[in-house]
Amino acid sequence: MSTLAITPSRVLRSEWHKLWTVRSTWITLALASALTIGIGLAIAATYESGGGDADVDTVLLVLLGMQFTSIIMGVLGILVTAGEHSTGMIRSSMTAVPRRLPVLWSKAAVLGAVTFTVVLATNFITFPLAQTLLSGTDQEASLGDPGIARALVGNAAGLALLGVMALALGALIRSVPGSIGAFIGGVLVLPEILSALPYDVIEDAVRYFPVGALDSLTHAHTPTDMASPGAALLALSLWAAGTLAAAGLLLRRRDV
Amino acid sequence: MTTAQGSSAQASSARGISAHGLTKRYGDKTVVSDLTFTVRPGTVTGFLGPNGAGKSTTMRMILGLDAPTRGHATVGDRAYAAHPAPLNEVGALLEARSIHPGRTAYHHLMALALTHGIPRSRVSHVLEVTGLAEVSRRRVKGFSLGMGQRLGIAAALLGDPDTVILDEPVNGLDPEGVLWIRNLLKSLAAEGRTVFVSSHLMSEMALTAEHLIIIGRGRLLADTTVDAFVRASGAGTVRVVTPEAGLLTELLAAPDVDVTSSAPGTLEVRGTDAEHIGRTAAAHGIPLFELTPQAASLEQAFMDLTRDSVEFAATTATTATTPAAHERTFMESA
């Protein structure tokens, strides 16, 4: 037992272990995948060329389930941090790793990697499946078409970053219901309300808000009134990093 | 009953726990006030105080979970968080429910073990030692309070630590569990480890601990040995009622036996036990009407001490900080 020591990779493995040894992880990830696939197929099956959705981007149309996935991934991120505070597990975690910050970074890395991988796999299942129903319509496309693969990957990256942001919110707010409220209200809904205000400045800014950026990333062909995919990815990364940095700062200072 | 090979318990040079002027304030409420004490290795040190005295807060400050407003604590030669393998230095049981209820006992311990590279075999070992092996694959949600305590103790032993800090470990345990804890603590101390245990029950500590640190309202009231406290409290005396009080007093006379009388026909005997008194009386045909070991007075002495501290704290707010008489009595200069 002489080589016992905390190392970053060991903390990472611990957080990986923690994530997969609670049921909520399996349930949320399965639910997110099932909803994305189910909604994608339902939309594809009922699609009619030239209908109201004709001007919707092909990838966005197929991945409309991400409205729910956003909430589910947010909840998963919140459970990873605020869940530990509400159960008291945080005291065990912070006693094991009293420098604290490695725990937060590891949680974010594990959650980000897992959600990215699961959403990516789901997207690459959903799109071809939905396309079998969309062949012959004006939304017919294949994975090799310009922008399609990029948007499928971009959507997965965007949702993973949104999850990390929710995880950081959970670490800041420490209450599961409070964090979910803040995430849905502040991150998902508030920008919609803001963009309804008649100010161009706000409309421009909202493009770079998390949901606006995710929206942009999910387009194979980015409309002109949205942030470019690169800018959107950068914006979402900064949102996630900023929230995580604030969480880290407070985690060092506050009592647990 | 030992918990590990114990090899690490002899390793580091500076050992034990030191608190230097630990103070914790929440707003204008002072929970812990200028606590200075040392907990030495090789003995069980009881940390006593009424509920709300600041015991848990003090323990959390030692572990770095709460930041002191002033002062600092060290475990071994440095602050807890500064150790490269903290779980190998200190094992802690804080509130029993510091556990995610949806995880199994095994996975809970495994998650903690992974942070330090503690092998799987050690996880199995502490599950065996704490009697949880059979339920280790069950989710903690369904655990009784006692099983939760055992899991907390398993986590505390996980890193084979030099120092063990346990906050109210007998809470929720059945009599068998209480006995198990007592023996565990004594065996850990016998292996040379530092054992620091909080309780609000003096009687429990008298059975387990050798040293006592007593606080009330966040202030240090006594830093003494159990023996000294027992002697000073009058506990350990035996009350004897007999018509032959004078004769029995003579018969019991010995260098370390002290007999006093508070009423005619009633003796308070210190320095020997009820068995010896009873046998002596029987051998000389002395009738005994009452032969009662005064165990309850230990708890009473503890309550008097802590109650006084509260009054003391309330009345000295405007006066100088003259130590109260009982503090001088119980404060040992060791």
Side-chain angles (χ1 to χ4, degrees):
Chain A
M1 306 263 289
S2 57
T3 55
L4 298 189
I6 299 171
T7 64
S9 68
R10 283 172 172 172
V11 179
L12 210 52
R13 282 174 62 190
S14 171
E15 288 304 327
W16 172 268
H17 188 85
K18 276 191 203 165
L19 185 70
W20 293 112
T21 50
V22 287
R23 279 186 194 171
S24 52
T25 305
W26 298 90
I27 294 169
T28 47
L29 289 176
L31 195 64
S33 282
L35 278 174
T36 303
I37 294 171
I39 292 172
L41 291 181
I43 288 170
T46 56
Y47 183 79
E48 284 174 31
S49 294
D53 292 336
D55 58 340
V56 176
D57 188 273
T58 309
V59 172
L60 185 66
L61 181 79
V62 170
L63 294 184
L64 268 179
M66 77 169 180
Q67 307 275 1
F68 296 99
T69 317
S70 304
I71 297 175
I72 295 167
M73 290 307 178
V75 169
L76 178 59
I78 286 163
L79 286 175
V80 166
T81 46
E84 284 212 10
H85 285 279
S86 65
T87 59
M89 179 65 199
I90 193 73
R91 285 186 288 272
S92 292
S93 299
M94 294 303 152
T95 308
V97 186
R99 291 200 184 277
R100 299 187 181 182
L101 289 183
V103 175
L104 183 65
W105 306 151
S106 298
K107 282 184 185 301
V110 167
L111 181 92
V114 166
T115 49
F116 176 74
T117 308
V118 170
V119 174
L120 191 66
T122 305
N123 288 354
F124 274 89
I125 291 167
T126 309
F127 190 81
L129 274 181
Q131 280 297 330
T132 61
L133 299 168
L134 289 170
S135 64
T137 70
D138 53 9
Q139 291 282 12
E140 183 175 346
S142 80
L143 284 174
D145 290 351
I148 301 288
R150 199 219 69 231
L152 294 176
V153 175
N155 171 263
L159 282 170
L161 288 167
L162 205 60
V164 170
M165 193 180 160
L167 175 145
L169 272 181
L172 283 167
I173 297 172
R174 294 186 165 191
S175 134
V176 173
S179 304
I180 292 176
F183 179 71
I184 293 177
V187 180
L188 301 185
V189 176
L190 185 66
E192 299 283 332
I193 297 168
L194 286 180
S195 60
L197 296 174
Y199 301 108
D200 287 350
V201 182
I202 293 177
E203 210 166 301
D204 288 345
V206 166
R207 290 175 192 174
Y208 300 96
F209 277 31
V211 173
L214 176 66
D215 212 8
S216 156
L217 284 169
T218 313
H219 278 73
H221 305 282
T222 317
T224 48
D225 63 345
M226 282 193 176
S228 74
L233 189 64
L234 179 66
L236 250 176
S237 301
L238 289 175
W239 279 105
T243 322
L244 202 58
L249 200 69
L250 282 180
L251 182 64
R252 278 182 69 97
R253 291 190 181 170
R254 288 157 89 186
D255 294 343
V256 291
Chain B
M1 198 32 148
T2 60
T3 54
Q5 287 68 42
S7 54
S8 61
Q10 278 80 39
S12 58
S13 51
R15 293 170 48 222
I17 303 166
S18 301
H20 307 276
L22 274 186
T23 301
K24 183 68 179 179
R25 264 193 230 110
Y26 296 106
D28 55 359
K29 191 169 181 284
T30 303
V31 181
V32 174
S33 177
D34 197 26
L35 269 190
T36 299
F37 60 82
T38 305
V39 182
R40 279 175 287 272
T43 62
V44 177
T45 300
F47 191 32
L48 272 164
N51 289 328
K55 302 187 296 292
S56 297
T57 305
T58 303
M59 287 181 156
R60 284 202 301 269
M61 285 194 283
I62 293 169
L63 293 165
L65 292 174
D66 286 7
T69 311
R70 269 203 320 274
H72 68 280
T74 57
V75 183
D77 57 352
R78 61 189 88 173
Y80 176 71
H83 287 285
L87 291 184
N88 187 222
E89 294 295 327
V90 183
L93 166 76
L94 295 172
E95 290 109 303
R97 298 290 171 172
S98 300
I99 298 167
H100 193 301
R103 217 169 261 128
T104 67
Y106 171 78
H107 285 313
H108 171 70
L109 294 175
M110 207 56 217
L112 299 178
L114 283 168
T115 60
H116 280 58
I118 295 169
R120 189 184 298 260
S121 59
R122 179 69 190 171
V123 172
S124 307
H125 178 74
V126 295
L127 283 165
E128 288 286 342
V129 167
T130 52
L132 291 174
E134 278 177 27
V135 295
S136 67
R137 298 287 175 173
R138 272 170 44 190
R139 295 197 292 158
V140 176
K141 194 175 289 180
F143 277 23
S144 67
L145 188 54
M147 286 156 78
Q149 286 289 69
R150 284 170 182 267
L151 180 54
I153 288 160
L157 300 177
L158 191 61
D160 189 18
D162 287 355
T163 299
V164 180
I165 296 178
L166 306 173
D167 195 1
E168 304 270 3
V170 301
N171 265 8
L173 290 181
D174 53 19
E176 186 205 353
V178 173
L179 191 63
W180 172 72
I181 288 277
R182 272 183 216 152
N183 291 330
L184 175 73
L185 297 181
K186 285 175 181 171
S187 70
L188 289 170
E191 289 164 16
R193 300 174 209 257
T194 307
V195 182
F196 191 42
V197 197
S198 79
S199 178
H200 60 278
L201 297 173
M202 180 68 218
S203 49
E204 179 56 35
M205 282 298 101
L207 290 167
T208 319
E210 290 169 53
H211 202 90
L212 292 177
I213 290 165
I214 304 178
I215 64 170
R217 284 206 171 174
R219 291 168 185 276
L220 186 67
L221 298 180
D223 185 345
T224 181
T225 64
V226 170
D227 284 347
F229 186 85
V230 167
R231 253 185 281 116
S233 70
T237 62
V238 182
R239 189 178 136 92
V240 185
V241 180
T242 172
E244 304 280 358
L247 177 59
L248 188 60
T249 305
E250 282 171 36
L251 289 168
L252 290 171
D256 51 352
V257 176
D258 176 33
V259 184
T260 56
S261 180
S262 57
T266 303
L267 301 176
E268 280 83 37
V269 185
R270 185 173 305 193
T272 186
D273 58 6
E275 183 186 340
H276 175 72
I277 298 166
R279 287 185 186 283
T280 307
H284 294 84
I286 298 173
L288 297 182
F289 303 155
E290 191 182 326
L291 180 63
T292 318
Q294 302 293 294
S297 62
L298 194 61
E299 201 71 49
Q300 192 59 49
F302 168 58
M303 281 165 62
D304 288 347
L305 175 65
T306 50
R307 185 174 54 236
D308 286 357
S309 86
V310 171
E311 288 164 4
F312 172 67
T315 53
T316 50
T318 52
T319 61
T321 55
T322 316
H326 56 79
E327 286 192 60
R328 281 195 227 105
T329 312
F330 289 116
M331 216 54 97
E332 272 209 300
S333 54

